[in-house]
């Protein structure tokens, strides 16, 4: 008996459909398996970050500096490499000391008080996967790229500690007296950003009624530097800054001349009439 056209078609179509279905099922479950493996891997990474944050949380109301030793000893180098940039980007204050380069074996924290609520907020963000894209960023490249900024901040803090904190202010004349030859404390590379920075902090606000620096204001300035609030001044090209100041000075001088012109004209008219 001859096979019908239907039977021949079925013989051809069924293997094709089976292959397509098998490929789709394989791809579907393959993707599911791959996603499950990735989720498992990311869950472990989040766990590492949370473990690190729990260490910092245990030092709440103390300085991050006090947590340095336990933090560095409790985490392996691969663990730190995976999470350290993410923690820094989420607000954990880290830095590179002057005359040092970034060393993953010894992470340095800034001398800032640990806020327990801030740590809990970061843990919440990490636990919910909001920051997964920040993991695995190469810390060597990241901190090397920011090394110049850390150096600027260190120079600014040195100015606050060694110059502003040791200066006095004549309240009546609004004249500040700084330690003699203070510029010699800095290299030329440090001086240029410091010259821009000092114009922003040499203000009466930071001195008490007797003209002495206020300890609370000095501490506040140091914290502001660590948080990057003065970065725009520290990274401003010194020559460009001087140029802008000169333009402002000339603009003010021109405005003063123009504003005094009616008085000068009236004076000349009166003098002419009196003659």
């Amino acid at each position: 008996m001859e096979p019908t056209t239907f039977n021949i078609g079925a013989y051809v179509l069924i293997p094709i459909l089976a292959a397509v279905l098998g490929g789709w099922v394989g791809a579907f479950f393959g993707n599911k398996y791959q996603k499950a493996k990735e989720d498992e891997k990311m869950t472990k990474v989040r766990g590492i970050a949370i473990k690190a944050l729990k260490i910092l949380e245990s030092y709440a109301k103390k300085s991050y500096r006090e947590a340095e030793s336990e933090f560095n000893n409790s985490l392996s180098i691969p663990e730190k490499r995976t999470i350290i940039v993410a923690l820094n980007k989420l607000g954990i204050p880290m830095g590179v000391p002057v005359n040092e380069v970034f060393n993953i074996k010894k992470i340095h924290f800034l001398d800032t008080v640990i806020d327990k609520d801030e740590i809990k907020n970061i843990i919440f963000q990490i636990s919910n996967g909001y920051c997964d894209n920040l993991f695995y960023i190469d810390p060597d490249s990241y901190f090397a790229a920011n090394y110049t900024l850390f150096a600027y901040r260190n120079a600014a803090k040195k100015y606050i500690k060694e110059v502003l904190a040791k200066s006095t202010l004549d309240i009546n004349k609004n004249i500040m007296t700084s330690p003699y030859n203070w510029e010699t404390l800095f290299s030329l590379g440090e001086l240029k950003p410091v010259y821009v920075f000092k114009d922003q902090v040499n203000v009466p606000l930071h001195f008490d009624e007797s003209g002495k620096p206020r300890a609370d204001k000095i501490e506040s300035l140091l914290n502001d530097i660590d948080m990057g609030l003065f970065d725009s001044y520290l990274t401003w090209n010194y020559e460009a800054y001087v140029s802008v100041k000169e333009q402002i000075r000339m603009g003010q001088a021109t405005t003063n001349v123009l504003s005094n012109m009616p008085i000068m004209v009236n004076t000349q008219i009166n003098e002419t009439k009196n003659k």
Side-chain angles (χ1 to χ4, degrees):
M1 179 179 177
E2 292 286 334
T4 64
T5 304
F6 172 79
N7 290 337
I8 294 173
Y11 291 144
V12 175
L13 188 59
I14 289 174
I16 294 175
L17 290 174
V20 171
L21 182 61
W24 181 84
V25 171
F28 176 78
F29 285 103
N31 289 335
K32 291 275 287 184
Y33 176 78
Q34 184 65 28
K35 188 177 185 307
K37 293 293 289 183
E38 290 177 358
D39 288 344
E40 180 183 358
K41 181 179 178 181
M42 194 53 65
T43 298
K44 290 180 179 179
V45 173
R46 292 174 194 158
I48 295 170
I50 292 171
K51 179 178 75 171
L53 289 165
K54 288 290 185 180
I55 293 171
L56 298 177
E57 186 183 22
S58 67
Y59 286 83
K61 297 184 179 180
K62 297 180 181 179
S63 171
Y64 278 94
R65 288 271 176 85
E66 296 182 61
E68 264 187 19
S69 179
E70 184 178 352
F71 183 92
N72 283 298
N73 293 329
S74 298
L75 297 170
S76 67
I77 290 177
E79 286 178 329
K80 283 189 281 188
R81 281 195 172 281
T82 303
I83 67 166
I84 203 66
V85 175
L87 295 186
N88 185 232
K89 283 181 171 288
L90 290 170
I92 303 302
M94 302 171 191
V96 180
V98 180
N99 300 324
E100 288 189 26
V101 295
F102 174 73
N103 183 357
I104 192 68
K105 294 179 181 179
K106 189 176 182 181
I107 300 300
H108 288 279
F109 292 113
L110 301 179
D111 191 15
T112 305
V113 175
I114 297 174
D115 186 319
K116 189 172 184 178
D117 290 335
E118 289 181 2
I119 299 295
K120 285 185 175 296
N121 182 50
I122 296 173
I123 290 175
F124 174 80
Q125 294 179 62
I126 290 174
S127 298
N128 287 277
Y130 300 152
C131 315
D132 289 351
N133 61 309
L134 298 179
F135 296 121
Y136 294 105
I137 298 175
D138 180 57
D140 296 293
S141 301
Y142 172 78
F143 283 100
N146 290 283
Y147 181 77
T148 301
L149 185 57
F150 292 139
Y152 285 159
R153 290 178 184 175
N154 285 330
K157 289 192 288 185
K158 182 161 68 171
Y159 177 81
I160 296 298
K161 293 176 181 178
E162 301 298 330
V163 183
L164 186 63
K166 298 178 181 179
S167 300
T168 56
L169 179 69
D170 186 323
I171 301 297
N172 297 322
K173 298 179 180 179
N174 195 28
I175 296 176
M176 186 176 124
T177 303
S178 298
Y180 175 72
N181 224 11
W182 64 266
E183 291 94 341
T184 59
L185 297 171
F186 301 88
S187 68
L188 179 60
E190 290 176 323
L191 266 179
K192 288 197 172 186
V194 163
Y195 276 139
V196 178
F197 170 74
K198 74 180 183 65
D199 284 356
Q200 313 305 318
V201 297
N202 288 1
V203 295
L205 172 69
H206 299 133
F207 296 85
D208 61 23
E209 295 178 354
S210 65
K212 295 180 180 179
R214 292 178 53 180
D216 60 329
K217 292 297 183 181
I218 295 298
E219 186 64 29
S220 177
L221 279 170
L222 293 173
N223 289 332
D224 288 347
I225 292 168
D226 283 336
M227 289 189 292
L229 300 184
F230 285 100
D231 285 355
S232 58
Y233 297 110
L234 293 170
T235 54
W236 195 347
N237 178 271
Y238 173 69
E239 286 74 17
Y241 176 72
V242 171
S243 177
V244 169
K245 283 187 65 177
E246 184 62 21
Q247 291 176 34
I248 293 174
R249 187 190 67 79
M250 292 179 65
Q252 290 174 338
T254 302
T255 301
N256 290 336
V257 170
L258 293 175
S259 63
N260 289 327
M261 281 186 68
I263 298 175
M264 294 170 62
V265 171
N266 289 332
T267 301
Q268 291 175 350
I269 292 174
N270 291 332
E271 288 178 350
T272 302
K273 287 181 178 180
N274 291 333
K275 290 180 180 178

